[in-house]
Amino acid sequence: ATPIMGINFWHNDDLNTDTMVVCDQKRMCTYDSATKLFDPVCDFQQIIYIVNDGAATTTGALTLGFTNLAPYSISITDGTNTITDIPTTSTAGTFTVTATLNAANTSTVNYSTGVVTITYAAYGGAVPITISITAKVQGDYFTGGDTNFFNYTHWRAADGTPSYLYMTNNKDRVTTFDGTYLSRIPYSITLANYNAFTNDIATALDVMVYKNRILFIRPTLVSSPSNIIESQVIRWSATFLPRNFIANIVNNGGTLECPTGDWLQSTTFLRDVIVCFFQNTTWLFRFTGNTVSPFRFDKLHDSSSST
């Protein structure tokens, strides 16, 4: 029993129905209108890698974003072949089915950390192979405290992704829900990390949809030895491509830092602009229509503050 930190609805665009979702400090559940009960959500499914034309190789460590997977079965598929493993009492397992996906005994999953490595055969096809995973989580996947309330937004992009509910508590990785499965896909800010499925964005203060892009408000970047809070920054995805936050290549995602020393505290829509409340100033985040620099900050005033 932990405090409720967020209540929202996942909208099914195909059926035009809504499902109530409730998040506490540790997990999420959905309301079943037939049984009048709340059902826990513990299934996740997500793309973990895309194989392009090339020689046989190993992906390296792929972080799922979910930990404590045992004792449930893990299934990884390339759309044709599927490799499965059922955890035992050990903290790591080895996939042993030989297929296009892997050479025997070389693809592994660590059940406690959620780190996967995949070895796949040489591929000479013209169409990339998408590798995805389906599994369950037995442990907690939210770690926020009494101040980590959830912000939500709903979007169905035009790239074939389902109707996702995006949620963030400014503590854990941005999480999506499609009515059945959770996912925590990597959000990369460089082309190299995008191709390697390496996550760069640890979390965000808020998540919004604006001009057919996903926006991360005041994101925190993955860094060592400690994460870096971008206290005056808004990052956005490429148009209709919610995974593409690449900021070092034009016409992809992007980033903009507001020219103030104040920390960004909250945002809200006002017609077709986003009002950004900083500690001692208020700014407007506007769409410019320019493909290279699609957004800009305009100062509204510096006589009020927000906390």
Side-chain angles (χ1 to χ4, degrees):
T2 61
I4 301 300
M5 306 304 292
I7 301 175
N8 211 287
F9 289 89
W10 171 75
H11 182 74
N12 187 324
D13 284 306
D14 295 320
L15 301 177
N16 196 30
T17 58
D18 292 308
T19 300
M20 178 187 291
V21 299
V22 179
C23 298
D24 63 16
Q25 291 178 338
K26 297 181 179 181
R27 296 174 70 88
M28 186 179 111
C29 62
T30 58
Y31 181 69
D32 188 326
S33 58
T35 63
K36 310 300 182 184
L37 298 174
F38 286 93
D39 300 324
V41 177
C42 60
D43 297 275
F44 79 91
Q45 184 180 82
Q46 62 196 48
I47 296 172
I48 58 174
Y49 202 73
I50 295 179
V51 180
N52 293 292
D53 189 3
T57 187
T58 301
T59 60
L62 300 170
T63 303
L64 301 177
F66 295 96
T67 60
N68 202 4
L69 306 181
Y72 305 105
S73 65
I74 313 296
S75 175
I76 297 179
T77 181
D78 63 1
T80 302
N81 303 291
T82 300
I83 54 179
T84 60
D85 197 50
I86 299 177
T88 61
T89 56
S90 63
T91 59
T94 302
F95 295 109
T96 57
V97 177
T98 303
T100 304
L101 275 173
N102 68 310
N105 299 314
T106 56
S107 294
T108 62
V109 57
N110 187 306
Y111 304 124
S112 60
T113 64
V115 173
V116 174
T117 60
I118 299 294
T119 300
Y120 52 89
Y123 177 64
V127 179
I129 295 175
T130 298
I131 300 178
S132 60
I133 186 170
T134 302
K136 290 180 180 289
V137 186
Q138 74 165 356
D140 299 330
Y141 43 82
F142 296 132
T143 63
D146 292 341
T147 61
N148 296 112
F149 292 96
F150 282 88
N151 286 314
Y152 303 85
T153 193
H154 183 273
W155 191 36
R156 182 176 188 174
D159 66 342
T161 55
S163 303
Y164 278 135
L165 180 68
Y166 293 78
M167 61 192 86
T168 180
N169 63 354
N170 201 32
K171 178 69 183 295
D172 303 298
R173 281 179 58 174
V174 175
T175 305
T176 61
F177 180 63
D178 67 357
T180 302
Y181 295 106
L182 300 165
S183 62
R184 282 178 174 165
I185 64 173
Y187 294 105
S188 309
I189 62 175
T190 66
L191 180 61
N193 284 354
Y194 180 85
N195 291 332
F197 272 69
T198 300
N199 182 57
D200 288 323
I201 298 178
T203 187
L205 176 68
D206 200 355
V207 56
M208 309 176 80
V209 175
Y210 185 42
K211 298 300 179 181
N212 299 314
R213 296 169 170 86
I214 289 288
L215 270 58
F216 288 157
I217 312 299
R218 205 182 83 186
T220 298
L221 299 186
V222 177
S223 185
S224 180
S226 60
N227 292 339
I228 300 173
I229 302 174
E230 296 189 311
S231 50
Q232 295 87 26
V233 168
I234 294 178
R235 290 186 176 271
W236 58 87
S237 72
T239 306
F240 297 116
L241 296 174
R243 192 176 82 83
N244 184 351
F245 277 76
I246 300 170
N248 63 339
I249 304 292
V250 296
N251 297 325
N252 287 272
T255 179
L256 186 63
E257 181 177 4
C258 188
T260 176
D262 299 337
W263 277 47
L264 180 55
Q265 302 286 11
S266 63
T267 54
T268 187
F269 274 105
L270 178 62
R271 295 182 179 176
D272 201 35
V273 300
I274 298 176
V275 182
C276 302
F277 298 99
F278 290 77
Q279 289 170 304
N280 298 295
T281 54
T282 305
W283 297 71
L284 299 180
F285 188 75
R286 298 181 182 272
F287 180 63
T288 65
N290 186 300
T291 57
V292 177
S293 301
F295 302 105
R296 74 170 191 259
F297 279 108
D298 293 329
K299 180 183 281 190
L300 184 61
H301 57 72
D302 54 10
S303 61
S304 66
S305 63
S306 174
T307 57

